[in-house]
Amino acid sequence: MRVIAGTARSLPLKTIEGLDTRPTTDRIKETLFNVMMGYIPESKFLDLFAGSGGIGIEALSRGATYCTFVELNPKAVSCIEDNVRFTKFTDKSNIIKADAVSYVRGLKEIDYDVIFMDPPYEKGYEKQVLNILKDKVFKEDTLIVIEAVLNEDFSYAEDMGFDIIKGKRYKTNKHIFLEKRD
């Protein structure tokens, strides 16, 4: 895995062994960031269920001013720390070893420009996070991006007060792009 664009372009990133994380392929990462392009420069980015930190680091490389990584797995947290240090983004990031659902619950308001979450598939974590976010005060135009399996149904998001602004399907998974309705 590597950073594919920006100031840290081509730098290799560590991943953790095993099936606990699913590093996003370069092709999917490129498509994802093409869709998010207008949101990334000068943004404050939240990477929930951060894994090895590859998505948040890519955002920093492409011009995000700050990224908060939230990950519970100690091996993944160590991997994020190594990757952030290696890419020299230590001063632009905060790594929090915590459960992502609890972290979001503890936020007073949502002052992030982009919230990206790639939770374990088919466990319902994305629905839990959205259920908490629906009652939070948001910064204007916060983009929420969820990575999920292809058959995951997000029709409930509309009832929670979110608009699905785009969906992008790949061979084995998809990204859903949401914004909170006013």
Side-chain angles (χ1 to χ4, degrees):
M1 189 171 76
R2 66 187 175 93
V3 180
I4 56 175
T7 59
R9 182 180 184 182
S10 299
L11 290 179
L13 298 175
K14 290 182 178 181
T15 59
I16 62 172
E17 297 294 320
L19 302 174
D20 290 337
T21 61
R22 304 171 313 273
T24 304
T25 65
D26 287 357
R27 173 176 271 156
I28 291 175
K29 197 184 314 182
E30 185 66 41
T31 301
L32 171 65
F33 277 89
N34 284 343
V35 174
M36 295 192 306
M37 187 173 10
Y39 292 86
I40 299 299
E42 304 297 314
S43 68
K44 189 173 176 189
F45 196 93
L46 175 60
D47 190 351
L48 296 173
F49 308 95
S52 62
I55 298 297
I57 289 169
E58 188 74 36
L60 289 168
S61 182
R62 291 174 181 245
T65 56
Y66 198 81
C67 181
T68 299
F69 299 90
V70 181
E71 175 58 57
L72 186 59
N73 180 319
K75 289 180 183 175
V77 170
S78 179
C79 187
I80 296 168
E81 290 168 346
D82 290 346
N83 285 333
V84 164
R85 202 171 21 259
F86 180 70
T87 54
K88 297 181 174 46
F89 289 133
T90 307
D91 61 332
K92 293 182 168 192
S93 61
N94 184 19
I95 302 163
I96 297 173
K97 183 184 180 293
D99 167 60
V101 175
S102 298
Y103 176 78
V104 172
R105 188 176 291 117
L107 294 173
K108 299 287 183 227
E109 65 179 4
I110 307 302
D111 66 343
Y112 294 98
D113 299 291
V114 180
I115 299 171
F116 178 82
M117 64 177 116
D118 183 7
Y121 290 166
E122 301 180 287
K123 303 278 188 199
Y125 294 123
E126 57 279 340
K127 189 172 188 176
Q128 290 177 49
V129 171
L130 288 176
N131 195 42
I132 294 164
L133 289 175
K134 74 179 172 57
D135 297 324
K136 299 285 184 179
V137 175
F138 268 69
K139 194 176 184 174
E140 194 173 321
D141 296 329
T142 298
L143 178 68
I144 302 167
V145 183
I146 304 170
E147 186 167 315
V149 293
L150 287 172
N151 64 348
E152 186 80 27
D153 178 20
F154 284 93
S155 59
Y156 65 82
E158 301 264 334
D159 295 335
M160 289 182 172
F162 296 94
D163 290 323
I164 298 173
I165 57 172
K166 189 170 181 72
K168 192 72 180 143
R169 296 175 65 87
Y170 313 102
K171 286 182 181 178
T172 60
N173 61 356
K174 65 183 177 182
H175 286 120
I176 300 297
F177 301 84
L178 308 138
E179 286 182 350
K180 187 176 178 203
R181 233 178 279 125
D182 291 333

